[in-house]
Amino acid sequence: MNLDSKIPEGPLAQKWTSHKFNMKLVNPANRRKYNVIVVGSGLAGGAAAASLAEQGYNVSCFCYQDSPRRAHSIAAQGGINASKNYQNDGDSVHRLFYDTVKGGDYRAREANVYRLAEVSSDIIDQCVANGVPFAREYGGLLANRSFGGAQVSRTFYARGQTGQQLLLGAYSALSKQIGLGKVKMYNRHEMLDVVKVDGHAKGIIVRNMVTGEVTRHAGDAVVVATGGYGNVFFLSTNAQGCNVTAAHRAYRRGAGMANPCYTQIHPTCIPVHGDQQSKLTLMSESLRNDGRVWAPKDQETAKKIREGKLNPNDVAEDDRDYYLERKYPSFGNLAPRDISSRAAKEACDDGRGVATTGLGVFLDFRDAIKRDGQKAIEERYGNLFEMYQCITGDNPYETPMMIFPAVHYTMGGLWVDYNLQSTIPGMFVGGEANFSDHGANRLGASALMQGLADGYFVLPYTVGNYLGEQGVAAAGQVTTDHPAFAEVEADVQSRIQKLMSIGGTESPRSFHKRLGNIMWEKCGMSRTKESLTEAIEEIQALRREFWSNLKVVGDADSLNPELERAGRVADFMEFGEILCRDALMREESCGGHFRAEHQTDDGEAMRDDDKFAFVGVWEYKGDDVPPALHKEPLVYENIKLATRSYK
Amino acid sequence: MEKTMNLTIRVWRQKNRLDVGKFAEYKLADISEDSSFLEMLDILSEQLVADGHEPVAFDHDCREGICGMCSMTINGIPHGPESGTTACQLHMRHFHDGQTITIEPWRAKPFPVIKDLVVDRTPLDKIIQSGGFITARAGSAVDANAMPIAKGIADYAMDAAACIGCGACVAACPNASAMLFTSAKVAHMNSLPQGKAEKDRRTLAMVTTMDGEGFGGCTNIGECEAACPKSIPLDMIAHLNRDYATAQFKNFFKPVA
Ligand SMILES: Cc1cc2nc3c(=O)[nH]c(=O)nc-3n(C[C@H](O)[C@H](O)[C@H](O)COP(=O)(O)OP(=O)(O)OC[C@H]3O[C@@H](n4cnc5c(N)ncnc54)[C@H](O)[C@@H]3O)c2cc1C
Ligand code: SF4
Ligand code: FES
């Protein structure tokens, strides 16, 4: 597997500019001869599809929801980072770059991160021009706030609905192109495989989720922007339909899968209520700007709270452990996500957890309300407080909120080079689906930034460059009549038939839950060699059971949510094992990957830069053969590796 | 202790677009009051699957009240009885033991039923495609702070932009009008300085498409506002009517290209 990262020559700050200059251009009149397939209509896919169409390419865009506006980017609450330095508090491209590499625990590629920081300002300009109603100050200028893990105020936001507004901005640009006929939109279509011709990605096979029809689509390049794989854990903050299918199918066709073990557990989610639960709800991290996180100092007090015998408001100041403020005095409640999550787990493991399950800690606004008044807090977080009350039935203005960590974001994904091209030439990967910019841990408000950077500012250039290199004579030459399409379509059909015909007794949802349980218990916030080895065996056994005892009701040629879930769970079952293998291979703790064997005396993550400063990339080798590991060494020329400290 | 309830679910079953469809009735036991409405439907699905029947198909995705995918009429009200709440954010604590709950798809001519509770809402996308955008090519934008926008205007635009495109307003309206949806987008974009250049064109195009897609006219009944999970106010419709009148007036003298 060739892992040439294609990082341009030259000083860090000039790489992107000179790379753009050196790119092959496609003459505007020739662009309409090319077809580009974009899978996904989230920030990355939606922005890429709109921008490529604007440039003049013909685009086909696919999503599994009934409208491109519903991609899960819509659910992001907190904000988007940009190094505008509008607050005059010392921010710069270099600082955002530095913070992101450090926040990622020195496991990201310098050049990519630098470019991200560089284009971040353009994103805000673009979004404002598009009509995104960001929060503003009374003077009419844009407002900012600080966000987990940053000491400058560089986060732009639109109330608690930043993702929604950014996505609607990209969706409106996309809609314009659909209206103009430059983008053909395929809603309720699920990509089930990639088609390669002479080694290059030249198309996809999709299933129309309404009619069940399986169809072929050819293109000169394929962009995959299908989001993250958090649902491998069953319970997560992802939407119900989020899946790994597109990425995993591409992996099976030769795309390298990078760092799958880097999963982010978000510290502020609403605790689990029972075993009928279908998803976890995130409470925006911005709440940590004013809320103070605590657990009772002793187990006795915690027990009384759990049993409802003690009101948390009556716990004396001295009996509260504001553990983040205690352990990380300089960052306090704003400590990065991985660190905050682990600290919550520690408190609960210690028997000091609250909520009926014992899996919860408090996020208390009492002091902020006393200091700023209820009205100010309402203005800042009103909709979040309402959401909390709607879900839990408790009023957070009166009783402290309860929170617990939950799977939220996946830093790993398909390996891409500097051009966001995967190991399959012609297949590009953007947004959460690629592994590129966040290393082992993503900072708050950086995923929206990356999705839009990829979609608006990187892919439109790099895809164009690829098309230019292929030459205009090649444009539109591969059609769906090529035998490769028939072959892959037959594979897809036979897999659907297989899923439908097992005739067992257990539902896809039930298998999904069982898989999630293994993943969370054995490959969750803390992992060990032993737990991972067990997880791999258990997943293999579960997979055998799945293929012999799955029950899919309904039929394949109509809308069938059971079949959709079955296909996705089947892929999660394979992918979950790769994730565990990656976690087992990585004998160090870094960012979202915590190996209990590798920690300092006071429980902090211990990296091993000598042995593990590389991207772990997995290559598919066959169904019953373990995947092969390849390494892309990470070279730091501009940043000195240091132990990440937030004390 | 968590409280549970037993329920009778009366739900619309329709195989496909052509099927006439009918209600079916199912019993559910021990539903936790902490469950969400859709989790209750998940449990019903699992029960149906266990008995070898097809589960009830319904649209849903984020389950956080933001994607606008969930769409069902619960006891006669789109998104159910709690005001300002989507079906996915509705919790079972708002129902009681022994209750019969009736669930139907959005009923509106422009939204044909695809299966059970799933309807086709693409006409809403078409309205946006005809004019619900502010043209700004990637890379062409000026500095974001070059044009200060008064907080009041930005807040108003945000209020309007909060629409999740669920279509409950259409389902609630006896005329199946999409005025609340369309006006929210028009108000969002027309109120911002960036959106001014395309204001008239946008307004006329979106209204024309809305009419062309078979949505009915607005007769000021106000059911849409009551059903809207994001509490988009009727004032938005007044805003649209104003802008539409202006645009038509100008258009009368100078056709908009
Ligand atoms: C609750 C929540 C809150 C968040 N808050 C923040 C925040 O405040 N700040 C921040 O920076 N980040 C935040 N994030 C992270 C961020 O929202 C996501 O990482 C980002 O939006 C992902 O964008 P995307 O375009 O890569 O994918 P998505 O938006 O998930 O889009 C994926 C697209 O791919 C399509 N798709 C998927 N699979 C297939 C398939 N097989 N076939 C066809 N189409 C397919 C989907 O239909 C969809 O259109 C949050 C995430 C969550 C879950
Ligand atoms: S106006 Fe309200 S009811 Fe209508 S689509 Fe928007 S959010 Fe839904
Ligand atoms: S499922 Fe997204 S709004 Fe209800």
Side-chain angles (χ1 to χ4, degrees):
Chain A
M1 187 164 265
N2 175 11
L3 298 181
D4 177 4
S5 58
K6 305 220 174 76
I7 297 171
E9 294 296 317
L12 191 61
Q14 255 92 66
K15 283 183 195 294
W16 181 230
T17 310
S18 64
H19 187 53
K20 278 194 291 187
F21 180 74
N22 290 325
M23 281 181 180
K24 273 255 184 302
L25 295 180
V26 178
N27 169 333
N30 282 337
R31 293 186 198 149
R32 71 174 75 92
K33 297 179 183 156
Y34 292 92
N35 298 308
V36 180
I37 289 173
V38 178
V39 191
S41 64
L43 290 182
S51 308
L52 286 161
E54 246 163 27
Q55 292 177 335
Y57 299 103
N58 296 313
V59 177
S60 306
C61 183
F62 298 80
C63 73
Y64 70 75
Q65 294 92 346
D66 72 329
S67 161
R69 68 180 289 150
R70 308 201 203 283
H72 198 49
S73 294
I74 200 102
Q77 303 167 350
I80 175 166
N81 286 334
S83 61
K84 282 280 194 189
N85 194 29
Y86 280 163
Q87 303 303 323
N88 196 22
D89 58 358
D91 203 6
S92 62
V93 170
H94 202 88
R95 187 177 297 279
L96 176 54
F97 156 71
Y98 176 82
D99 286 354
T100 308
V101 173
K102 175 187 172 196
D105 220 352
Y106 306 95
R107 290 293 175 264
R109 202 188 274 150
E110 273 190 345
N112 285 57
V113 178
Y114 194 88
R115 172 178 62 193
L116 176 67
E118 208 179 330
V119 301
S120 66
S121 281
D122 299 344
I123 295 172
I124 301 304
D125 300 342
Q126 175 63 24
C127 293
V128 167
N130 253 332
V132 172
F134 282 122
R136 287 182 183 262
E137 299 162 354
Y138 281 101
L141 301 178
L142 290 159
N144 290 111
R145 58 183 169 207
S146 73
F147 223 65
Q151 283 177 314
V152 290
S153 284
R154 63 160 73 102
T155 305
F156 295 78
Y157 61 100
R159 291 204 188 131
Q161 291 121 276
T162 315
Q164 178 197 29
Q165 293 310 316
L166 295 175
L167 184 66
L168 292 182
Y171 161 77
S172 68
L174 177 65
S175 294
K176 178 177 176 191
Q177 299 302 325
I178 297 172
L180 292 173
K182 285 304 289 179
V183 175
K184 178 134 180 52
M185 187 69 220
Y186 294 87
N187 304 327
R188 295 193 196 268
H189 278 70
E190 187 166 31
M191 165 181 164
L192 296 178
D193 221 325
V194 197
V195 181
K196 289 194 325 189
V197 174
D198 299 329
H200 286 239
K202 288 290 177 199
I204 58 172
I205 303 293
V206 304
R207 178 172 179 271
N208 177 329
M209 294 157 74
V210 175
T211 63
E213 197 189 352
V214 172
T215 52
R216 312 167 181 183
H217 299 265
D220 296 290
V222 176
V223 176
V224 172
T226 48
Y229 51 81
N231 277 348
V232 67
F233 291 87
F234 184 68
L235 285 182
S236 81
T237 63
N238 285 3
Q240 294 294 297
C242 291
N243 64 85
V244 76
T245 291
H248 184 69
R249 294 281 125 194
Y251 156 80
R252 291 178 56 104
R253 298 273 171 206
M257 180 64 75
N259 299 335
C261 80
Y262 293 159
T263 47
Q264 180 164 81
I265 316 271
H266 195 292
T268 53
C269 299
I270 298 179
V272 177
H273 65 68
D275 60 4
Q276 300 180 336
Q277 191 147 348
S278 63
K279 86 156 272 154
L280 295 170
T281 305
L282 174 82
M283 298 305 294
S284 167
E285 178 163 50
S286 60
L287 291 167
R288 292 200 276 146
N289 277 315
D290 285 299
R292 297 179 69 195
V293 178
W294 65 277
K297 258 193 192 142
D298 62 88
Q299 300 174 345
E300 213 29 52
T301 313
K303 182 154 179 268
K304 279 194 211 141
I305 296 175
R306 284 200 294 274
E307 290 168 350
K309 290 181 189 147
L310 176 66
N311 182 331
N313 285 321
D314 297 335
V315 177
E317 202 56 23
D318 275 354
D319 296 332
R320 301 171 172 213
D321 176 16
Y322 293 96
Y323 56 84
L324 288 176
E325 296 170 25
R326 171 173 58 81
K327 293 171 71 167
Y328 309 101
S330 73
F331 277 71
N333 292 299
L334 292 176
R337 293 179 175 171
D338 50 343
I339 288 175
S340 310
S341 291
R342 267 199 309 280
K345 180 179 182 324
E346 247 168 54
C348 295
D349 286 352
D350 193 26
R352 298 186 290 124
V354 292
T356 47
T357 53
L359 297 174
V361 295
F362 291 117
L363 178 62
D364 202 335
F365 288 83
R366 185 191 63 179
D367 297 347
I369 292 174
K370 225 184 281 166
R371 183 186 68 223
D372 300 342
Q374 173 153 340
K375 192 153 180 300
I377 297 302
E378 222 174 275
E379 239 170 50
R380 271 172 234 162
Y381 312 111
N383 61 331
L384 296 169
F385 277 43
E386 264 170 42
M387 181 158 102
Y388 182 86
Q389 181 159 15
C390 160
I391 292 171
T392 62
D394 286 343
N395 177 352
Y397 293 104
E398 286 161 14
T399 33
M401 266 184 196
M402 283 186 285
I403 51 167
F404 196 67
V407 173
H408 174 59
Y409 181 86
T410 54
M411 281 76 67
L414 291 174
W415 184 89
V416 288
D417 63 15
Y418 187 74
N419 294 316
L420 304 185
Q421 186 167 225
S422 69
T423 53
I424 301 178
M427 193 178 107
F428 293 77
V429 191
E432 195 173 336
N434 73 24
F435 89 106
S436 69
D437 297 348
H438 307 293
N441 173 56
R442 173 176 71 78
L443 290 179
S446 285
L448 299 181
M449 170 173 71
Q450 182 226 332
L452 287 179
D454 291 358
Y456 280 132
F457 297 107
V458 181
L459 289 165
Y461 284 91
T462 58
V463 171
N465 179 47
Y466 167 79
L467 296 174
E469 280 171 359
Q470 300 308 301
V472 70
Q477 288 307 302
V478 174
T479 64
T480 53
D481 300 333
H482 192 284
F485 279 88
E487 228 170 84
V488 180
E489 188 194 317
D491 285 355
V492 168
Q493 291 280 16
S494 83
R495 201 173 126 87
I496 292 174
Q497 286 320 314
K498 203 162 146 202
L499 287 167
M500 292 300 305
S501 62
I502 298 168
T505 60
E506 193 168 334
S507 71
R509 176 185 297 273
S510 168
F511 277 111
H512 193 178
K513 248 189 195 173
R514 288 170 66 194
L515 172 68
N517 202 36
I518 300 173
M519 295 299 299
W520 179 247
E521 292 301 327
K522 311 215 150 148
C523 189
M525 262 188 282
S526 174
R527 303 151 174 187
T528 61
K529 183 171 182 185
E530 195 191 347
S531 75
L532 292 165
T533 315
E534 281 169 17
I536 292 170
E537 277 165 23
E538 287 174 26
I539 294 170
Q540 288 171 344
L542 189 65
R543 206 160 58 219
R544 283 191 292 275
E545 212 182 312
F546 177 88
W547 286 107
S548 59
N549 192 30
L550 177 73
K551 175 181 190 172
V552 181
V553 296
D555 45 45
D557 51 12
S558 69
L559 183 76
N560 188 345
E562 291 292 292
L563 175 60
E564 290 159 23
R565 191 185 276 265
R568 293 170 191 162
V569 174
D571 288 331
F572 279 135
M573 292 252 183
E574 292 178 13
F575 177 76
E577 182 184 331
I578 308 171
L579 198 162
C580 293
R581 281 185 187 279
D582 190 48
L584 185 60
M585 174 279 290
R586 197 162 277 281
E587 288 271 0
E588 65 165 350
S589 294
C590 58
H593 168 66
F594 190 76
R595 283 285 299 265
E597 302 96 326
H598 303 282
Q599 53 180 311
T600 60
D601 290 342
D602 51 356
E604 300 296 334
M606 216 157 66
R607 282 196 336 254
D608 183 344
D609 292 333
D610 290 338
K611 290 205 196 110
F612 289 96
F614 64 79
V615 181
V617 187
W618 298 91
E619 181 185 13
Y620 176 71
K621 284 286 177 194
D623 273 341
D624 299 307
V625 190
L629 174 69
H630 302 270
K631 299 175 184 177
E632 179 202 337
L634 289 166
V635 184
Y636 290 92
E637 290 170 342
N638 300 276
I639 284 187
K640 212 166 111 345
L641 273 69
T643 300
R644 211 164 134 235
S645 166
Y646 292 92
K647 301 201 166 175
Chain B
M1 250 314 279
E2 105 183 326
K3 282 198 226 118
T4 63
M5 58 187 87
N6 299 335
L7 299 164
T8 303
I9 306 297
R10 214 173 139 256
V11 61
W12 186 256
R13 303 301 313 251
Q14 181 173 339
K15 262 195 108 43
N16 53 39
R17 235 172 243 246
L18 302 174
D19 185 21
V20 285
K22 59 174 190 302
F23 279 104
E25 231 178 71
Y26 307 105
K27 299 271 181 220
L28 271 182
D30 300 329
I31 299 297
S32 158
E33 63 164 16
D34 286 333
S35 284
S36 71
F37 196 81
L38 301 191
E39 282 163 359
M40 181 275 290
L41 283 181
D42 292 341
I43 295 163
L44 174 61
S45 293
E46 287 298 283
Q47 187 173 308
L48 287 169
V49 170
D51 298 341
H53 301 301
E54 272 198 68
V56 179
F58 59 96
D59 267 333
H60 63 107
D61 203 26
C62 72
R63 298 204 175 189
E64 305 192 2
I66 194 75
C67 74
M69 188 106 177
C70 61
S71 43
M72 55 191 77
T73 297
I74 302 165
N75 288 340
I77 307 171
H79 288 305
E82 281 295 291
S83 77
T85 306
T86 54
C88 61
Q89 289 291 73
L90 179 64
H91 281 70
M92 296 312 292
R93 68 179 74 89
H94 300 296
F95 297 87
H96 58 78
D97 188 37
Q99 196 173 347
T100 297
I101 305 178
T102 302
I103 315 172
E104 295 168 81
W106 282 173
R107 303 254 188 226
K109 202 171 92 244
F111 296 162
V113 172
I114 293 174
K115 183 171 188 169
D116 297 340
L117 304 175
V118 178
V119 301
D120 181 355
R121 282 173 289 186
T122 42
L124 295 181
D125 282 331
K126 295 219 176 96
I127 297 176
I128 303 293
Q129 286 155 17
S130 69
F133 45 78
I134 296 174
T135 300
R137 216 172 295 116
S140 66
V142 296
D143 185 86
N145 259 349
M147 188 198 309
I149 299 175
K151 185 171 186 308
I153 293 178
D155 284 348
Y156 174 80
M158 180 63 220
D159 287 342
C163 164
I164 57 173
C166 62
C169 45
V170 179
C173 177
N175 309 331
S177 167
M179 275 296 265
L180 195 62
F181 167 82
T182 308
S183 67
K185 191 44 65 190
V186 165
H188 159 211
M189 294 188 159
N190 286 7
S191 62
L192 289 171
Q194 308 91 298
K196 293 281 191 261
E198 289 162 303
K199 181 171 165 230
D200 295 342
R201 197 161 183 271
R202 169 181 311 119
T203 312
L204 293 175
M206 288 176 75
V207 170
T208 307
T209 309
M210 182 177 77
D211 293 343
E213 289 294 322
F215 293 101
C218 171
T219 49
N220 292 314
I221 301 166
E223 290 288 339
C224 52
E225 183 184 41
C228 174
K230 297 294 140 181
S231 309
I232 303 287
L234 282 176
D235 305 357
M236 298 294 165
I237 297 187
H239 188 138
L240 169 60
N241 284 334
R242 246 181 355 254
D243 285 359
Y244 185 68
T246 315
Q248 258 198 328
F249 180 73
K250 288 201 230 163
N251 196 29
F252 184 75
F253 294 103
K254 184 170 76 61
V256 178

